[in-house]
Amino acid sequence: MCCHFRDYLNSPRILCVKADLSGVSFQEFWQDVAGQAACIKQKTTPVWALWEQDSYTFLVLFFAALNAGKKLLLPPHRIRDLEQELAQQQIYFLSRTEPKPSLEPIKINVDDQFLKDAKVSFYTSGSTGQAKKIPRNLMQLFNEVAGLEASFKREQQGIALATVSHQHIYGLLFKLLWPVASGRSFYQPQLAFPEDVADAQQHLTDFNVPNYVISSPALLKRWTADVVLKDCINVYSSGGKLDSGIRPQLNRP
């Protein structure tokens, strides 16, 4: 098995920590997924685009669409030109729907065949030419998560904080799928500045749980030594070379 996320389908552990510090358990999350999957299954369109700024809503719709037997495109942005281009291909953006009381939630499917059949396409940034579509299935994504778990020995508990978008494979893997697969948590808001990271860590002090930060060179080069990381295990950086002189500004590895 590529990961252990089956172990947490009915877990009372907190998966999502909201900005107001309320929590959504794994069990509540998967129930939410089952309800949304039932709504999506009613739609005849086989391929959907997913772009949601909110990490929790994104993750619900991500698993709901796949459990409903749909394929997903994860564009890096949502602009009118892209919407029109995709609409010409009969691909529309997915959004949350209020389930009808008469609609039975779908039973969550987590067997290996489902993981192999569940298809997701990412896009490269397009910074060096035309953006390319990169297909993956859930089995491949969870295998990558298993690699992260094996490479970076984590405490049993931890909260992922991110300054990068979950729309890209880096943010999706590190912020969302790693917690889903390991029984850990993620902080719902996306953080924009170093000070936001430090403020969030201070905000989370009462949880008495360590955190880790998923970031990028673009954000980390703006870091100063007076922005002190708290209860932080370590910081991850991806997306480019980390310039010399940045690392000494961080008080965590």
Side-chain angles (χ1 to χ4, degrees):
M1 177 59 190
C2 60
C3 64
H4 300 287
F5 82 103
R6 293 170 181 165
D7 299 343
Y8 305 105
L9 293 180
N10 297 304
S11 173
R13 288 190 188 189
I14 297 299
L15 170 63
C16 174
V17 179
K18 297 184 177 182
D20 63 1
L21 298 188
S22 62
V24 181
S25 71
F26 280 80
Q27 184 178 45
E28 291 168 329
F29 165 74
W30 286 111
Q31 288 172 347
D32 200 355
V33 169
Q36 288 299 305
C39 297
I40 297 169
K41 199 170 180 64
Q42 303 296 306
K43 306 175 187 292
T44 57
T45 306
V47 182
W48 289 86
L50 176 57
W51 193 95
E52 281 286 344
Q53 188 162 357
D54 179 88
S55 291
Y56 177 77
T57 301
F58 172 91
L59 194 61
V60 168
L61 293 176
F62 177 86
F63 279 107
L66 296 176
N67 267 273
K70 309 298 184 181
K71 294 181 181 178
L72 281 177
L73 299 179
L74 302 185
H77 49 67
R78 183 173 180 175
I79 56 176
R80 180 171 297 180
D81 287 351
L82 178 60
E83 287 197 51
Q84 292 174 345
E85 178 185 333
L86 291 175
Q88 290 173 359
Q89 306 171 51
Q90 307 299 307
I91 298 173
Y92 306 98
F93 279 85
L94 196 58
S95 59
R96 188 188 251 298
T97 305
E98 189 61 38
K100 296 176 182 177
S102 59
L103 199 59
E104 282 288 321
I106 284 180
K107 183 178 180 181
I108 297 299
N109 187 351
V110 293
D111 64 24
D112 284 359
Q113 191 58 52
F114 163 72
L115 294 176
K116 292 174 183 175
D117 292 341
K119 301 290 198 309
V120 182
S121 291
F122 300 87
Y123 286 87
T124 59
S125 65
S127 59
T128 58
Q130 185 69 27
K132 296 182 179 64
K133 189 163 69 172
I134 302 173
R136 290 286 186 274
N137 62 36
L138 265 186
M139 180 71 81
Q140 290 171 312
L141 295 178
F142 276 125
N143 279 337
E144 291 195 46
V145 168
L148 297 180
E149 185 72 8
S151 298
F152 305 106
K153 302 301 182 183
R154 295 258 65 84
E155 284 79 355
Q156 188 56 43
Q157 290 184 301
I159 302 174
L161 307 177
T163 70
V164 296
S165 172
H166 50 249
Q167 292 287 146
H168 299 281
I169 192 167
Y170 170 44
L172 175 62
L173 289 172
F174 277 74
K175 180 182 181 179
L176 300 183
L177 294 188
W178 197 359
V180 165
S182 61
R184 300 188 182 96
S185 309
F186 67 88
Y187 187 55
Q188 186 176 12
Q190 183 175 328
L191 307 170
F193 302 103
E195 293 79 9
D196 295 335
V197 175
D199 288 347
Q201 290 174 332
Q202 185 62 42
H203 201 41
L204 292 166
T205 299
D206 290 345
F207 273 78
N208 199 29
V209 172
N211 62 75
Y212 58 98
V213 176
I214 304 110
S215 194
S216 66
L219 186 284
L220 294 176
K221 72 181 181 181
R222 302 162 70 178
W223 211 278
T224 55
D226 61 328
V227 180
V228 179
L229 293 160
K230 184 177 179 61
D231 301 325
C232 183
I233 304 165
N234 50 21
V235 179
Y236 295 95
S237 177
S238 185
K241 181 182 176 182
L242 195 61
D243 293 340
S244 61
I246 295 174
R247 176 65 191 87
Q249 303 296 323
L250 299 166
N251 64 306
R252 287 293 185 271

